[in-house]
Amino acid sequence: MQITNPEILFVKEKLIPAVENIEIVSTQNKFYKVIVIYENAAKELPTGLQVMLDKLIQACKFKPEDTLYLSYNPTILSFNSLKKHFQPEIVLLFGNIHLTKNMSPLIKYRAYEINGIKILRAEKLEKLEQMKSEKSELWTALKLMLHLS
């Protein structure tokens, strides 16, 4: 399957689940500083979770327009495809998400750097919203990873 205009997949909060083995073909790639990949049963994030993520992104000194939000489905994402087509500086994973088949699951709240991309995995968004201790762990890990004060 080829997608000739991948930018049409990501219109504001209308999100398409990630699919394995999609070849993205475009003459003009859109680059994002941050890619947020989350587990959520709904196709679109509930407003409260979207607001929470937007605040988090801004607290990390990034702009929402420099951020791509992707809903994760059980198929495994292609890390190389994300890197090639979007060239993120940071990938934030919310939930039990595996980037590739060849990589062990990432430990929550531990910063990784793979091929120049900083990666952090956190709890599912719904749990983060309800558990202050999880939010605190996430913020501490982000501050360390991004050298924020």
PDB file of all heavy atoms in Angstrom, residues 30-37 62 66 68 79-92 114-119:
ATOM      1  N   LYS A  30       6.630  16.182   6.150  1.00  0.00           N
ATOM      2  CA  LYS A  30       6.433  17.134   7.233  1.00  0.00           C
ATOM      3  C   LYS A  30       7.253  16.642   8.405  1.00  0.00           C
ATOM      4  O   LYS A  30       7.161  15.486   8.784  1.00  0.00           O
ATOM      5  CB  LYS A  30       4.942  17.195   7.602  1.00  0.00           C
ATOM      6  CG  LYS A  30       4.626  17.957   8.857  1.00  0.00           C
ATOM      7  CD  LYS A  30       4.624  19.439   8.625  1.00  0.00           C
ATOM      8  CE  LYS A  30       4.069  20.146   9.858  1.00  0.00           C
ATOM      9  NZ  LYS A  30       4.922  21.077  10.461  1.00  0.00           N
ATOM     10  N   PHE A  31       8.085  17.498   8.942  1.00  0.00           N
ATOM     11  CA  PHE A  31       8.924  17.103  10.059  1.00  0.00           C
ATOM     12  C   PHE A  31       8.326  17.609  11.361  1.00  0.00           C
ATOM     13  O   PHE A  31       7.831  18.725  11.438  1.00  0.00           O
ATOM     14  CB  PHE A  31      10.346  17.626   9.866  1.00  0.00           C
ATOM     15  CG  PHE A  31      10.954  17.153   8.571  1.00  0.00           C
ATOM     16  CD1 PHE A  31      11.376  18.041   7.620  1.00  0.00           C
ATOM     17  CD2 PHE A  31      11.064  15.798   8.307  1.00  0.00           C
ATOM     18  CE1 PHE A  31      11.917  17.600   6.421  1.00  0.00           C
ATOM     19  CE2 PHE A  31      11.604  15.341   7.113  1.00  0.00           C
ATOM     20  CZ  PHE A  31      12.030  16.244   6.176  1.00  0.00           C
ATOM     21  N   TYR A  32       8.376  16.778  12.375  1.00  0.00           N
ATOM     22  CA  TYR A  32       7.848  17.097  13.694  1.00  0.00           C
ATOM     23  C   TYR A  32       8.966  16.942  14.713  1.00  0.00           C
ATOM     24  O   TYR A  32       9.738  15.997  14.639  1.00  0.00           O
ATOM     25  CB  TYR A  32       6.700  16.151  14.059  1.00  0.00           C
ATOM     26  CG  TYR A  32       5.491  16.320  13.188  1.00  0.00           C
ATOM     27  CD1 TYR A  32       5.326  15.564  12.032  1.00  0.00           C
ATOM     28  CD2 TYR A  32       4.515  17.252  13.506  1.00  0.00           C
ATOM     29  CE1 TYR A  32       4.214  15.730  11.220  1.00  0.00           C
ATOM     30  CE2 TYR A  32       3.413  17.424  12.703  1.00  0.00           C
ATOM     31  CZ  TYR A  32       3.260  16.664  11.556  1.00  0.00           C
ATOM     32  OH  TYR A  32       2.168  16.832  10.762  1.00  0.00           O
ATOM     33  N   LYS A  33       9.023  17.862  15.668  1.00  0.00           N
ATOM     34  CA  LYS A  33      10.010  17.733  16.735  1.00  0.00           C
ATOM     35  C   LYS A  33       9.611  16.622  17.699  1.00  0.00           C
ATOM     36  O   LYS A  33      10.459  15.937  18.233  1.00  0.00           O
ATOM     37  CB  LYS A  33      10.150  19.052  17.488  1.00  0.00           C
ATOM     38  CG  LYS A  33      10.840  20.123  16.678  1.00  0.00           C
ATOM     39  CD  LYS A  33      11.091  21.352  17.497  1.00  0.00           C
ATOM     40  CE  LYS A  33      11.854  22.363  16.648  1.00  0.00           C
ATOM     41  NZ  LYS A  33      12.225  23.536  17.391  1.00  0.00           N
ATOM     42  N   VAL A  34       8.306  16.488  17.924  1.00  0.00           N
ATOM     43  CA  VAL A  34       7.811  15.505  18.890  1.00  0.00           C
ATOM     44  C   VAL A  34       6.737  14.644  18.232  1.00  0.00           C
ATOM     45  O   VAL A  34       5.850  15.164  17.567  1.00  0.00           O
ATOM     46  CB  VAL A  34       7.201  16.198  20.131  1.00  0.00           C
ATOM     47  CG1 VAL A  34       6.737  15.171  21.155  1.00  0.00           C
ATOM     48  CG2 VAL A  34       8.176  17.180  20.761  1.00  0.00           C
ATOM     49  N   ILE A  35       6.837  13.341  18.437  1.00  0.00           N
ATOM     50  CA  ILE A  35       5.762  12.435  18.042  1.00  0.00           C
ATOM     51  C   ILE A  35       5.241  11.781  19.310  1.00  0.00           C
ATOM     52  O   ILE A  35       6.008  11.225  20.092  1.00  0.00           O
ATOM     53  CB  ILE A  35       6.234  11.374  17.035  1.00  0.00           C
ATOM     54  CG1 ILE A  35       6.649  12.055  15.725  1.00  0.00           C
ATOM     55  CG2 ILE A  35       5.131  10.348  16.777  1.00  0.00           C
ATOM     56  CD1 ILE A  35       7.129  11.100  14.651  1.00  0.00           C
ATOM     57  N   VAL A  36       3.945  11.899  19.520  1.00  0.00           N
ATOM     58  CA  VAL A  36       3.273  11.294  20.666  1.00  0.00           C
ATOM     59  C   VAL A  36       2.467  10.114  20.148  1.00  0.00           C
ATOM     60  O   VAL A  36       1.610  10.277  19.278  1.00  0.00           O
ATOM     61  CB  VAL A  36       2.339  12.304  21.372  1.00  0.00           C
ATOM     62  CG1 VAL A  36       1.541  11.621  22.474  1.00  0.00           C
ATOM     63  CG2 VAL A  36       3.128  13.481  21.913  1.00  0.00           C
ATOM     64  N   ILE A  37       2.756   8.926  20.661  1.00  0.00           N
ATOM     65  CA  ILE A  37       2.025   7.731  20.263  1.00  0.00           C
ATOM     66  C   ILE A  37       1.320   7.209  21.506  1.00  0.00           C
ATOM     67  O   ILE A  37       1.949   7.012  22.546  1.00  0.00           O
ATOM     68  CB  ILE A  37       2.980   6.662  19.690  1.00  0.00           C
ATOM     69  CG1 ILE A  37       3.755   7.252  18.498  1.00  0.00           C
ATOM     70  CG2 ILE A  37       2.197   5.419  19.273  1.00  0.00           C
ATOM     71  CD1 ILE A  37       4.896   6.388  18.015  1.00  0.00           C
ATOM     72  N   PHE A  62       7.897  22.851  23.745  1.00  0.00           N
ATOM     73  CA  PHE A  62       7.612  22.573  22.343  1.00  0.00           C
ATOM     74  C   PHE A  62       6.263  23.188  21.980  1.00  0.00           C
ATOM     75  O   PHE A  62       5.414  23.404  22.834  1.00  0.00           O
ATOM     76  CB  PHE A  62       7.575  21.063  22.078  1.00  0.00           C
ATOM     77  CG  PHE A  62       8.912  20.412  22.216  1.00  0.00           C
ATOM     78  CD1 PHE A  62       9.211  19.657  23.335  1.00  0.00           C
ATOM     79  CD2 PHE A  62       9.872  20.552  21.224  1.00  0.00           C
ATOM     80  CE1 PHE A  62      10.453  19.060  23.474  1.00  0.00           C
ATOM     81  CE2 PHE A  62      11.124  19.954  21.353  1.00  0.00           C
ATOM     82  CZ  PHE A  62      11.405  19.210  22.487  1.00  0.00           C
ATOM     83  N   ASP A  66       4.298  21.586  16.312  1.00  0.00           N
ATOM     84  CA  ASP A  66       5.500  20.787  16.035  1.00  0.00           C
ATOM     85  C   ASP A  66       5.348  19.363  16.543  1.00  0.00           C
ATOM     86  O   ASP A  66       6.320  18.616  16.615  1.00  0.00           O
ATOM     87  CB  ASP A  66       6.728  21.422  16.699  1.00  0.00           C
ATOM     88  CG  ASP A  66       7.126  22.746  16.065  1.00  0.00           C
ATOM     89  OD1 ASP A  66       6.794  22.945  14.881  1.00  0.00           O
ATOM     90  OD2 ASP A  66       7.764  23.563  16.742  1.00  0.00           O
ATOM     91  N   LEU A  68       3.166  15.667  16.483  1.00  0.00           N
ATOM     92  CA  LEU A  68       2.275  14.755  15.768  1.00  0.00           C
ATOM     93  C   LEU A  68       1.726  13.757  16.768  1.00  0.00           C
ATOM     94  O   LEU A  68       2.485  13.107  17.485  1.00  0.00           O
ATOM     95  CB  LEU A  68       3.040  14.025  14.665  1.00  0.00           C
ATOM     96  CG  LEU A  68       2.295  12.921  13.914  1.00  0.00           C
ATOM     97  CD1 LEU A  68       1.111  13.498  13.140  1.00  0.00           C
ATOM     98  CD2 LEU A  68       3.245  12.200  12.974  1.00  0.00           C
ATOM     99  N   PHE A  79       9.706   1.996  13.516  1.00  0.00           N
ATOM    100  CA  PHE A  79      10.542   3.082  14.013  1.00  0.00           C
ATOM    101  C   PHE A  79      11.285   3.754  12.862  1.00  0.00           C
ATOM    102  O   PHE A  79      11.377   4.972  12.792  1.00  0.00           O
ATOM    103  CB  PHE A  79      11.536   2.543  15.050  1.00  0.00           C
ATOM    104  CG  PHE A  79      12.486   3.571  15.550  1.00  0.00           C
ATOM    105  CD1 PHE A  79      12.068   4.537  16.452  1.00  0.00           C
ATOM    106  CD2 PHE A  79      13.800   3.595  15.116  1.00  0.00           C
ATOM    107  CE1 PHE A  79      12.947   5.505  16.906  1.00  0.00           C
ATOM    108  CE2 PHE A  79      14.674   4.550  15.564  1.00  0.00           C
ATOM    109  CZ  PHE A  79      14.254   5.511  16.470  1.00  0.00           C
ATOM    110  N   ASN A  80      11.800   2.946  11.944  1.00  0.00           N
ATOM    111  CA  ASN A  80      12.546   3.503  10.811  1.00  0.00           C
ATOM    112  C   ASN A  80      11.673   4.398   9.939  1.00  0.00           C
ATOM    113  O   ASN A  80      12.132   5.414   9.430  1.00  0.00           O
ATOM    114  CB  ASN A  80      13.170   2.388   9.979  1.00  0.00           C
ATOM    115  CG  ASN A  80      14.301   1.705  10.717  1.00  0.00           C
ATOM    116  OD1 ASN A  80      14.978   2.323  11.536  1.00  0.00           O
ATOM    117  ND2 ASN A  80      14.493   0.433  10.462  1.00  0.00           N
ATOM    118  N   SER A  81      10.421   4.029   9.758  1.00  0.00           N
ATOM    119  CA  SER A  81       9.509   4.851   8.963  1.00  0.00           C
ATOM    120  C   SER A  81       9.240   6.188   9.658  1.00  0.00           C
ATOM    121  O   SER A  81       9.229   7.234   9.017  1.00  0.00           O
ATOM    122  CB  SER A  81       8.204   4.098   8.726  1.00  0.00           C
ATOM    123  OG  SER A  81       7.336   4.883   7.952  1.00  0.00           O
ATOM    124  N   LEU A  82       9.025   6.149  10.979  1.00  0.00           N
ATOM    125  CA  LEU A  82       8.827   7.394  11.726  1.00  0.00           C
ATOM    126  C   LEU A  82      10.046   8.304  11.575  1.00  0.00           C
ATOM    127  O   LEU A  82       9.914   9.502  11.324  1.00  0.00           O
ATOM    128  CB  LEU A  82       8.608   7.106  13.214  1.00  0.00           C
ATOM    129  CG  LEU A  82       7.278   6.517  13.626  1.00  0.00           C
ATOM    130  CD1 LEU A  82       7.300   6.189  15.114  1.00  0.00           C
ATOM    131  CD2 LEU A  82       6.135   7.448  13.299  1.00  0.00           C
ATOM    132  N   LYS A  83      11.213   7.714  11.731  1.00  0.00           N
ATOM    133  CA  LYS A  83      12.446   8.491  11.640  1.00  0.00           C
ATOM    134  C   LYS A  83      12.636   9.070  10.239  1.00  0.00           C
ATOM    135  O   LYS A  83      12.934  10.252  10.077  1.00  0.00           O
ATOM    136  CB  LYS A  83      13.645   7.617  12.013  1.00  0.00           C
ATOM    137  CG  LYS A  83      14.944   8.369  11.977  1.00  0.00           C
ATOM    138  CD  LYS A  83      16.117   7.489  12.343  1.00  0.00           C
ATOM    139  CE  LYS A  83      17.352   8.364  12.295  1.00  0.00           C
ATOM    140  NZ  LYS A  83      18.548   7.694  12.075  1.00  0.00           N
ATOM    141  N   LYS A  84      12.442   8.242   9.243  1.00  0.00           N
ATOM    142  CA  LYS A  84      12.676   8.663   7.863  1.00  0.00           C
ATOM    143  C   LYS A  84      11.722   9.765   7.410  1.00  0.00           C
ATOM    144  O   LYS A  84      12.132  10.733   6.782  1.00  0.00           O
ATOM    145  CB  LYS A  84      12.542   7.456   6.935  1.00  0.00           C
ATOM    146  CG  LYS A  84      12.724   7.773   5.473  1.00  0.00           C
ATOM    147  CD  LYS A  84      12.561   6.538   4.619  1.00  0.00           C
ATOM    148  CE  LYS A  84      12.638   6.865   3.143  1.00  0.00           C
ATOM    149  NZ  LYS A  84      12.387   5.681   2.319  1.00  0.00           N
ATOM    150  N   HIS A  85      10.453   9.622   7.737  1.00  0.00           N
ATOM    151  CA  HIS A  85       9.452  10.527   7.178  1.00  0.00           C
ATOM    152  C   HIS A  85       9.114  11.729   8.045  1.00  0.00           C
ATOM    153  O   HIS A  85       8.595  12.720   7.532  1.00  0.00           O
ATOM    154  CB  HIS A  85       8.184   9.752   6.836  1.00  0.00           C
ATOM    155  CG  HIS A  85       8.419   8.734   5.775  1.00  0.00           C
ATOM    156  ND1 HIS A  85       8.618   9.072   4.459  1.00  0.00           N
ATOM    157  CD2 HIS A  85       8.536   7.392   5.833  1.00  0.00           C
ATOM    158  CE1 HIS A  85       8.837   7.980   3.754  1.00  0.00           C
ATOM    159  NE2 HIS A  85       8.788   6.946   4.558  1.00  0.00           N
ATOM    160  N   PHE A  86       9.390  11.663   9.343  1.00  0.00           N
ATOM    161  CA  PHE A  86       9.019  12.772  10.214  1.00  0.00           C
ATOM    162  C   PHE A  86      10.197  13.367  10.965  1.00  0.00           C
ATOM    163  O   PHE A  86      10.083  14.433  11.543  1.00  0.00           O
ATOM    164  CB  PHE A  86       7.937  12.326  11.205  1.00  0.00           C
ATOM    165  CG  PHE A  86       6.707  11.793  10.514  1.00  0.00           C
ATOM    166  CD1 PHE A  86       6.344  10.471  10.648  1.00  0.00           C
ATOM    167  CD2 PHE A  86       5.927  12.610   9.706  1.00  0.00           C
ATOM    168  CE1 PHE A  86       5.220   9.968  10.003  1.00  0.00           C
ATOM    169  CE2 PHE A  86       4.805  12.125   9.061  1.00  0.00           C
ATOM    170  CZ  PHE A  86       4.457  10.793   9.210  1.00  0.00           C
ATOM    171  N   GLN A  87      11.322  12.689  11.010  1.00  0.00           N
ATOM    172  CA  GLN A  87      12.555  13.141  11.650  1.00  0.00           C
ATOM    173  C   GLN A  87      12.329  13.787  13.017  1.00  0.00           C
ATOM    174  O   GLN A  87      12.734  14.919  13.255  1.00  0.00           O
ATOM    175  CB  GLN A  87      13.315  14.086  10.724  1.00  0.00           C
ATOM    176  CG  GLN A  87      13.755  13.411   9.447  1.00  0.00           C
ATOM    177  CD  GLN A  87      14.554  14.318   8.539  1.00  0.00           C
ATOM    178  OE1 GLN A  87      14.825  15.462   8.847  1.00  0.00           O
ATOM    179  NE2 GLN A  87      14.924  13.805   7.391  1.00  0.00           N
ATOM    180  N   PRO A  88      11.690  13.063  13.935  1.00  0.00           N
ATOM    181  CA  PRO A  88      11.435  13.662  15.251  1.00  0.00           C
ATOM    182  C   PRO A  88      12.707  13.749  16.093  1.00  0.00           C
ATOM    183  O   PRO A  88      13.664  13.000  15.884  1.00  0.00           O
ATOM    184  CB  PRO A  88      10.452  12.671  15.880  1.00  0.00           C
ATOM    185  CG  PRO A  88      10.838  11.354  15.287  1.00  0.00           C
ATOM    186  CD  PRO A  88      11.233  11.687  13.860  1.00  0.00           C
ATOM    187  N   GLU A  89      12.699  14.676  17.036  1.00  0.00           N
ATOM    188  CA  GLU A  89      13.756  14.739  18.035  1.00  0.00           C
ATOM    189  C   GLU A  89      13.380  13.827  19.212  1.00  0.00           C
ATOM    190  O   GLU A  89      14.243  13.240  19.836  1.00  0.00           O
ATOM    191  CB  GLU A  89      13.920  16.170  18.558  1.00  0.00           C
ATOM    192  CG  GLU A  89      14.423  17.147  17.517  1.00  0.00           C
ATOM    193  CD  GLU A  89      14.462  18.575  18.017  1.00  0.00           C
ATOM    194  OE1 GLU A  89      14.404  18.799  19.263  1.00  0.00           O
ATOM    195  OE2 GLU A  89      14.547  19.486  17.187  1.00  0.00           O
ATOM    196  N   ILE A  90      12.066  13.755  19.467  1.00  0.00           N
ATOM    197  CA  ILE A  90      11.559  13.035  20.639  1.00  0.00           C
ATOM    198  C   ILE A  90      10.339  12.218  20.244  1.00  0.00           C
ATOM    199  O   ILE A  90       9.486  12.683  19.484  1.00  0.00           O
ATOM    200  CB  ILE A  90      11.157  14.033  21.741  1.00  0.00           C
ATOM    201  CG1 ILE A  90      12.394  14.805  22.193  1.00  0.00           C
ATOM    202  CG2 ILE A  90      10.489  13.341  22.914  1.00  0.00           C
ATOM    203  CD1 ILE A  90      12.072  16.034  22.971  1.00  0.00           C
ATOM    204  N   VAL A  91      10.257  11.002  20.793  1.00  0.00           N
ATOM    205  CA  VAL A  91       9.065  10.173  20.647  1.00  0.00           C
ATOM    206  C   VAL A  91       8.598   9.830  22.057  1.00  0.00           C
ATOM    207  O   VAL A  91       9.363   9.288  22.857  1.00  0.00           O
ATOM    208  CB  VAL A  91       9.347   8.881  19.848  1.00  0.00           C
ATOM    209  CG1 VAL A  91       8.118   7.982  19.834  1.00  0.00           C
ATOM    210  CG2 VAL A  91       9.772   9.218  18.421  1.00  0.00           C
ATOM    211  N   LEU A  92       7.351  10.192  22.355  1.00  0.00           N
ATOM    212  CA  LEU A  92       6.744   9.867  23.646  1.00  0.00           C
ATOM    213  C   LEU A  92       5.711   8.776  23.434  1.00  0.00           C
ATOM    214  O   LEU A  92       4.828   8.905  22.581  1.00  0.00           O
ATOM    215  CB  LEU A  92       6.078  11.101  24.254  1.00  0.00           C
ATOM    216  CG  LEU A  92       6.992  12.297  24.518  1.00  0.00           C
ATOM    217  CD1 LEU A  92       6.186  13.470  25.054  1.00  0.00           C
ATOM    218  CD2 LEU A  92       8.112  11.927  25.482  1.00  0.00           C
ATOM    219  N   ILE A 114      17.862   6.420  20.596  1.00  0.00           N
ATOM    220  CA  ILE A 114      18.073   5.443  19.539  1.00  0.00           C
ATOM    221  C   ILE A 114      18.216   6.198  18.223  1.00  0.00           C
ATOM    222  O   ILE A 114      17.316   6.945  17.832  1.00  0.00           O
ATOM    223  CB  ILE A 114      16.900   4.449  19.463  1.00  0.00           C
ATOM    224  CG1 ILE A 114      16.734   3.737  20.812  1.00  0.00           C
ATOM    225  CG2 ILE A 114      17.103   3.457  18.322  1.00  0.00           C
ATOM    226  CD1 ILE A 114      15.478   2.923  20.936  1.00  0.00           C
ATOM    227  N   ASN A 115      19.349   6.027  17.582  1.00  0.00           N
ATOM    228  CA  ASN A 115      19.623   6.706  16.301  1.00  0.00           C
ATOM    229  C   ASN A 115      19.374   8.210  16.390  1.00  0.00           C
ATOM    230  O   ASN A 115      18.807   8.809  15.485  1.00  0.00           O
ATOM    231  CB  ASN A 115      18.790   6.104  15.174  1.00  0.00           C
ATOM    232  CG  ASN A 115      19.153   4.672  14.893  1.00  0.00           C
ATOM    233  OD1 ASN A 115      20.278   4.252  15.115  1.00  0.00           O
ATOM    234  ND2 ASN A 115      18.200   3.898  14.404  1.00  0.00           N
ATOM    235  N   GLY A 116      19.770   8.808  17.503  1.00  0.00           N
ATOM    236  CA  GLY A 116      19.642  10.257  17.669  1.00  0.00           C
ATOM    237  C   GLY A 116      18.262  10.744  18.089  1.00  0.00           C
ATOM    238  O   GLY A 116      18.045  11.946  18.204  1.00  0.00           O
ATOM    239  N   ILE A 117      17.331   9.831  18.325  1.00  0.00           N
ATOM    240  CA  ILE A 117      15.979  10.207  18.730  1.00  0.00           C
ATOM    241  C   ILE A 117      15.780   9.826  20.192  1.00  0.00           C
ATOM    242  O   ILE A 117      16.014   8.683  20.587  1.00  0.00           O
ATOM    243  CB  ILE A 117      14.916   9.517  17.855  1.00  0.00           C
ATOM    244  CG1 ILE A 117      15.086   9.934  16.406  1.00  0.00           C
ATOM    245  CG2 ILE A 117      13.514   9.839  18.353  1.00  0.00           C
ATOM    246  CD1 ILE A 117      14.217   9.169  15.434  1.00  0.00           C
ATOM    247  N   LYS A 118      15.352  10.783  20.991  1.00  0.00           N
ATOM    248  CA  LYS A 118      15.078  10.527  22.406  1.00  0.00           C
ATOM    249  C   LYS A 118      13.696   9.900  22.524  1.00  0.00           C
ATOM    250  O   LYS A 118      12.741  10.380  21.909  1.00  0.00           O
ATOM    251  CB  LYS A 118      15.148  11.821  23.202  1.00  0.00           C
ATOM    252  CG  LYS A 118      16.533  12.406  23.229  1.00  0.00           C
ATOM    253  CD  LYS A 118      16.572  13.711  23.975  1.00  0.00           C
ATOM    254  CE  LYS A 118      17.982  14.283  23.944  1.00  0.00           C
ATOM    255  NZ  LYS A 118      18.069  15.563  24.619  1.00  0.00           N
ATOM    256  N   ILE A 119      13.611   8.846  23.330  1.00  0.00           N
ATOM    257  CA  ILE A 119      12.361   8.104  23.469  1.00  0.00           C
ATOM    258  C   ILE A 119      12.057   7.913  24.951  1.00  0.00           C
ATOM    259  O   ILE A 119      12.961   7.584  25.738  1.00  0.00           O
ATOM    260  CB  ILE A 119      12.449   6.732  22.780  1.00  0.00           C
ATOM    261  CG1 ILE A 119      12.781   6.916  21.299  1.00  0.00           C
ATOM    262  CG2 ILE A 119      11.148   5.952  22.949  1.00  0.00           C
ATOM    263  CD1 ILE A 119      13.160   5.641  20.592  1.00  0.00           C
TER     264      ILE A 119
END
